[in-house]
């Protein structure tokens, strides 16, 4: 029972964090002004910060931050990261990895990094676990997980500026925009739009998303309609709803089952769904579809090819 | 008494029908009639009806409502037996470690299930059931060595120690293999979502026969509630019957957990409510607990899948949320009158 309570709590805080970041990203556009000025005085959450003169050592808590830092060519400066960041290109293999949920503040202070990037996932309203770290004079920068593509771009712009690598940042952004535009151009020409159910957690406890999530924007870009577009944010969904909406294609980013596609194909009653009848159930890479970084391009292309193989090569 | 029994039976059937008729998608009674006619008697479906609508009712909602009813019944009967045998109003299969054992079984399948010789769908319930029962056998065996009389306090204490110990193994395993924690978590929260007909075909006969078997011992159960000494002077072969009843009750809980995950509260509360209304005779209390628990679970599941539509709440959370106020109202209102 105790275990159950703890995990429920954990899940709740994760959800709260998701919602909280949902609100935070709404401020993304207003902070445009802030990043265009020369000196950075705030983090992406709006907290006042003072950046160190030079940044030689980084702790990156949050795989999306690590991915962006790596793309900016800063991977070798990362001296510690979160456990999900393992395997990201350029990251040294022997660095300490911290759990996002149970922070080892002692070790983190001991490492004496110049800067720590965090997502706010570990934060609750009354309790900021990084406060003790910040109190020792280490610069803690909050970059809440973005929920829109615009927010992701802003994160990249911001990180590039903090790391004094704006040029590289612009390069990443323009490449990202180019790729998105290429897909969007074909996507917008599609008149016979398909409906899609995108599963991010399998049954029981199926999870998907409505509007206000970058994945929903991505579905729109490839020229498809999310069957839950009239809902908001990340959400749980019942099988009755999915059956009633009868999606043309089902996508899943679930990676904790051996065969998430077979799992969907074998659900009772689902054989009446168009997507199942046509065998249109596809796996989309988990990391690139779930993490708000420039890697969403990989997921975007996979999604486009899965839903409209006849349009996207 | 007879009117009360008829009334509760009527209410239970009504709850079951509501559970089938209502959902996040509206299906009219006429459509329901057509779908049932089509499935049972091969009558043609009206042309304008979508295949998915028929699937929602027949493949999603019907097995779900039946399963919820059966699981609720199994848990309540099991709770009644545990409370009576242990003469403890808080005793349940869960305190004796059935749920923690089943959780460990499920955890093992979720973490290392790839190489099991079952199909993925069968491995989870089988392992949950086996580990749940294994736990209670182990703890009862342990009790027997400690305490030849197998007194209730020893059984409960040993059960709790076993339960906590096994929970810690599950916690440790899921902590090490954190990638799968989500699946385990959902399993533990309990759900009737996306269960197929085979689950119904197994759980219904198991629950029915288990309940009948247990009700067969209603006289012994009545005597046990008076106390072990009285029961012994009345000539009840206490230890054998006690063991049999404990194992039967644990098996009922184990079967329900195996298919639906860990759902609490109903096994604790249903027996108390039924005893308040129907008195102490187990010949009445056992079947009435089954009906009440089943109806209660259907209502909880109905709430879980409609309140947050198109989303769904974990039913394990709903049982206590609806049940606790209802329980307090009924229990304390009655107490005042007495």
């Amino acid at each position: 029972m105790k275990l159950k309570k703890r995990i429920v709590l954990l899940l709740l805080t994760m959800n709260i964090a998701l919602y909280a970041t949902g609100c935070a990203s709404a401020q993304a556009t207003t902070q445009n002004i802030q990043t265009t000025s020369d000196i950075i005085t705030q983090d992406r959450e709006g907290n006042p910060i003072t950046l160190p003169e030079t940044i030689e050592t980084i702790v990156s808590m949050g795989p999306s931050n690590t991915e962006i830092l790596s793309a900016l060519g800063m991977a070798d400066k990362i001296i510690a990261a979160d456990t999900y960041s393992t395997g990201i290109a350029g990251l040294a293999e022997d660095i300490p990895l911290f759990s996002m949920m149970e922070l080892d503040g002692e070790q983190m202070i001991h490492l004496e990094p110049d800067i720590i990037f965090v997502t706010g996932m570990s934060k609750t309203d009354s309790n900021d676990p990084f406060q003790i770290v910040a109190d020792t004079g280490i610069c803690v920068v909050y970059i809440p997980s973005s929920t829109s593509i615009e927010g992701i771009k802003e994160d990249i712009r911001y990180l590039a500026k903090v790391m004094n690598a704006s040029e590289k940042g612009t390069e990443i952004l323009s490449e990202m925009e180019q790729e998105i535009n290429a897909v969007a151009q074909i996507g917008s020409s599609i008149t016979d739009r398909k409906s899609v159910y995108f599963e991010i957690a399998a049954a029981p406890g199926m999870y998907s998303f409505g509007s206000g999530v970058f994945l929903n924007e991505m579905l729109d870009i490839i020229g498809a309609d999310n069957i839950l577009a009239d809902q908001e944010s990340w959400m749980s969904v019942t099988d009755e709803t999915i059956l009633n909406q009868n999606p043309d294609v089902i996508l899943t980013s679930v990676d904790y089952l051996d065969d998430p596609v077979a799992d969907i194909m074998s659900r009772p009653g689902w054989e009446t769904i168009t997507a199942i009848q046509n065998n249109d159930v596809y796996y989309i890479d988990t990391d690139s579809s779930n993490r708000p970084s420039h890697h969403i391009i990989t997921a975007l292309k996979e999604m486009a090819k899965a839903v409209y193989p006849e349009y996207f090569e | 008494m007879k009117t009360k029994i008829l009334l509760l039976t009527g209410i239970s059937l009504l709850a079951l029908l509501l559970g089938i008729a209502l959902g996040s998608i509206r299906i009219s009674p006429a459509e329901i009639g057509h779908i049932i006619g089509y499935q049972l008697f091969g009558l043609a479906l009206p042309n304008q009806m979508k295949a998915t609508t028929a699937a929602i009712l027949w493949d999603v909602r019907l097995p779900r409502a039946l399963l919820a009813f059966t699981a609720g019944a199994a848990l309540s009967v099991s709770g009644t037996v545990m409370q009576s045998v242990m003469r403890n109003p808080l005793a349940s299969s869960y305190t004796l470690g059935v749920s923690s054992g089943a959780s460990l079984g499920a955890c093992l399948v979720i973490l290392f299930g790839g190489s099991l010789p079952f199909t993925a769908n069968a491995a989870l319930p089988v392992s949950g059931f086996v580990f749940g029962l294994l736990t209670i056998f182990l703890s009862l065996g342990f009790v027997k060595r400690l305490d030849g009389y197998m007194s209730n306090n020893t059984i409960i204490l040993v059960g709790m120690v076993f339960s906590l110990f096994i929970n810690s193994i599950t916690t440790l395993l899921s902590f090490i293999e954190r990638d799968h924690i989500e699946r385990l978590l959902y399993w533990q929260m309990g759900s009737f979502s996306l269960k197929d007909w085979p689950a119904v075909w197994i759980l219904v006969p198991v629950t029915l026969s288990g309940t009948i078997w247990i009700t067969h011992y209603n006289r012994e159960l009545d005597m046990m509630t008076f106390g072990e000494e009285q029961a012994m002077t009345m000539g009840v072969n206490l230890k054998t019957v006690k063991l049999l009843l404990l194992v039967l009750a644990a098996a009922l809980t184990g079967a329900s957990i195996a298919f639906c995950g860990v759902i609490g509260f109903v096994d604790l509360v249903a027996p108390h409510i039924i005893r308040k209304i129907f008195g102490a005779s187990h010949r009445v209390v056992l079947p009435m607990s089954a009906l009440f628990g089943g109806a209660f679970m259907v209502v909880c599941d109905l709430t879980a899948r409609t309140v947050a539509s198109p989303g769904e709440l974990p039913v394990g959370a709903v049982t206590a949320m609806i049940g606790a106020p209802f329980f307090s109202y009924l229990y304390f209102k009655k107490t005042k009158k007495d």
Side-chain angles (χ1 to χ4, degrees):
Chain A
M1 282 318 256
K2 217 172 163 190
L3 166 85
K4 219 173 98 183
K5 268 188 207 154
R6 275 194 51 196
I7 306 185
V8 171
L9 201 77
L10 191 142
L11 195 85
L12 276 176
T13 46
M14 276 175 75
N15 268 333
I16 291 166
L18 280 174
Y19 287 121
T21 54
C23 308
S25 75
Q27 309 163 355
T29 40
T30 57
Q31 282 172 33
N32 270 330
I33 312 145
Q34 182 253 311
T35 46
T36 47
S37 78
D38 277 343
I39 307 151
I40 292 174
T41 54
Q42 283 183 327
D43 65 9
R44 287 276 290 138
E45 211 178 42
N47 309 309
I49 53 163
T50 315
L51 287 178
E53 303 258 307
T54 54
I55 299 175
E56 290 307 323
T57 50
I58 304 170
V59 171
S60 172
M61 296 296 290
S64 49
N65 293 341
T66 314
E67 279 176 354
I68 296 170
L69 286 167
S70 154
L72 290 168
M74 301 294 166
D76 53 333
K77 293 189 177 175
I78 298 175
I79 55 165
D82 66 285
T83 46
Y84 293 105
S85 287
T86 44
I88 290 173
L91 211 61
E93 266 174 27
D94 53 349
I95 58 168
L97 298 171
F98 295 107
S99 154
M100 298 270 269
M101 293 303 155
E102 295 121 42
L103 290 169
D104 189 345
E106 222 173 274
Q107 251 215 70
M108 209 170 278
I109 294 166
H110 175 75
L111 286 168
E112 292 185 70
D114 294 327
I115 197 164
I116 301 181
F117 294 109
V118 291
T119 57
M121 197 168 166
S122 338
K123 197 159 91 165
T124 57
D125 277 342
S126 55
N127 177 29
D128 180 354
F130 286 100
Q131 193 54 51
I132 27 168
V133 182
D135 285 345
T136 65
I138 297 170
C139 180
V140 176
V141 178
Y142 272 99
I143 304 180
S145 304
S146 282
T147 51
S148 67
I149 295 179
E150 200 41 58
I152 295 171
K153 287 187 195 164
E154 197 56 38
D155 291 341
I156 297 171
R157 211 167 289 144
Y158 180 82
L159 271 168
K161 199 161 174 62
V162 170
M163 296 308 300
N164 214 354
S166 289
E167 217 166 288
K168 185 72 188 156
T170 318
E171 202 179 297
I172 299 169
L173 283 170
S174 66
E175 192 185 328
M176 197 175 150
E177 272 158 15
Q178 231 169 20
E179 300 261 28
I180 292 178
N181 287 340
V183 176
Q185 206 166 14
I186 303 174
S188 61
S189 73
I190 293 169
T191 46
D192 184 21
R193 288 167 76 94
K194 289 185 182 170
S195 63
V196 174
Y197 163 60
F198 195 127
E199 184 163 284
I200 52 176
M206 288 177 289
Y207 231 72
S208 185
F209 52 84
S211 304
V213 172
F214 57 89
L215 281 166
N216 189 63
E217 287 181 61
M218 287 157 71
L219 282 175
D220 199 42
I221 289 171
I222 66 167
D225 295 317
N226 179 3
I227 59 163
L228 299 169
D230 56 339
Q231 302 293 317
E232 281 290 322
S233 181
W234 308 97
M235 57 181 286
S236 82
V237 58
T238 58
D239 37 10
E240 289 195 8
T241 308
I242 298 159
L243 280 165
N244 190 51
Q245 294 283 348
N246 194 13
D248 297 319
V249 179
I250 297 178
L251 304 177
T252 171
S253 65
V254 169
D255 66 345
Y256 53 87
L257 297 178
D258 291 333
D259 191 345
V261 171
D263 176 68
I264 289 172
M265 299 286 292
S266 67
R267 290 178 189 163
W270 284 42
E271 67 278 356
T272 53
I273 296 177
T274 311
I276 309 278
Q277 284 171 349
N278 298 339
N279 245 325
D280 278 330
V281 183
Y282 304 99
Y283 170 75
I284 303 296
D285 181 58
T286 310
D287 288 345
S288 48
S289 63
N290 286 3
R291 293 175 182 173
S293 81
H294 54 287
H295 283 311
I296 57 165
I297 299 303
T298 312
L300 184 72
K301 288 193 232 163
E302 274 187 26
M303 287 159 66
K305 277 180 201 156
V307 179
Y308 297 113
E310 65 275 29
Y311 289 98
F312 296 94
E313 278 305 311
Chain B
M1 182 67 86
K2 255 199 184 135
T3 30
K4 279 189 196 167
I5 293 176
L6 282 175
L7 201 66
L8 181 62
T9 314
I11 292 173
S12 312
L13 283 177
L14 191 71
L16 185 61
L17 284 178
L18 279 179
I20 296 165
L22 302 178
S24 50
I25 304 302
R26 215 189 92 82
I27 303 176
S28 71
E31 283 177 306
I32 292 177
H34 280 303
I35 295 166
I36 291 175
Y38 164 72
Q39 292 287 355
L40 292 183
F41 310 112
L43 301 177
L45 280 178
N47 287 332
Q48 75 277 14
M49 191 187 286
K50 291 190 290 181
T52 46
T53 309
I56 288 176
L57 186 83
W58 191 261
D59 295 315
V60 175
R61 220 183 269 168
L62 204 55
R64 185 172 182 150
L66 288 174
L67 208 62
F69 191 91
T70 319
L75 289 170
S76 303
V77 169
S78 168
T80 309
V81 173
M82 289 293 180
Q83 288 175 7
S84 296
V85 171
M86 298 291 180
R87 296 185 67 219
N88 184 321
L90 295 175
S92 79
S93 301
Y94 293 167
T95 35
L96 294 189
V98 177
S99 66
S100 50
S103 289
L104 179 63
C107 176
L108 290 174
V109 170
I110 289 170
L111 298 190
F112 314 107
S115 55
L116 277 174
F118 303 103
T119 66
N121 286 337
L124 205 60
V126 167
S127 166
F129 182 72
V130 169
F131 272 78
L133 272 194
L134 211 61
T135 313
I136 200 156
F137 279 131
L138 273 177
S139 68
L140 285 178
F142 195 69
V143 170
K144 216 170 176 181
R145 305 205 108 193
L146 277 183
D147 174 359
Y149 295 104
M150 302 203 70
S151 72
N152 294 331
N153 282 345
T154 321
I155 298 181
I156 290 174
L157 270 175
V158 169
M160 290 190 80
V161 170
F162 264 70
S163 179
L164 290 172
F165 179 73
I166 292 170
N167 270 342
S168 71
I169 299 178
T170 313
T171 312
L172 214 66
L173 279 176
S174 49
F175 188 78
I176 296 165
E177 290 279 331
R178 252 186 281 191
D179 294 349
H180 297 278
I181 209 163
E182 202 166 345
R183 225 182 128 205
L184 182 67
L185 165 71
Y186 271 111
W187 186 84
Q188 284 185 320
M189 285 203 286
S191 171
F192 298 110
S193 165
L194 282 170
K195 297 288 190 270
D196 212 348
W197 280 100
V200 180
W201 297 139
I202 297 172
L203 197 60
V204 169
V206 166
T207 304
L208 205 62
S209 53
T211 306
I212 291 171
W213 198 352
I214 287 172
T215 312
H216 178 70
Y217 289 101
N218 66 79
R219 264 189 59 245
E220 285 81 349
L221 274 167
D222 286 346
M223 286 181 220
M224 278 185 206
T225 45
F226 294 134
E228 306 200 359
E229 276 170 43
Q230 257 109 330
M232 262 189 270
T233 52
M234 287 184 232
V236 179
N237 183 358
L238 202 70
K239 239 159 70 175
T240 324
V241 178
K242 189 169 173 176
L243 274 179
L244 177 70
L245 284 172
L246 285 180
V247 170
L248 281 177
L252 278 183
T253 304
S256 150
I257 293 183
F259 285 107
C260 315
V262 183
I263 300 168
F265 200 75
V266 67
D267 61 323
L268 174 73
V269 162
H272 286 293
I273 291 175
I274 292 303
R275 285 201 198 95
K276 276 277 158 195
I277 301 174
F278 292 95
S281 164
H282 281 86
R283 204 167 56 90
V284 181
V285 168
L286 285 168
M288 288 301 113
S289 289
L291 281 182
F292 177 82
F296 178 73
M297 197 59 94
V298 169
V299 172
C300 287
D301 182 51
L302 181 61
T303 312
R305 62 190 154 93
T306 49
V307 160
S309 169
E312 184 171 339
L313 304 172
V315 69
V318 177
T319 49
M321 215 179 286
I322 298 181
F326 179 63
F327 176 60
S328 336
Y329 169 73
L330 214 74
Y331 200 81
F332 292 112
K333 194 190 86 172
K334 280 268 177 180
T335 315
K336 231 189 243 170
K337 245 194 237 167
D338 285 346

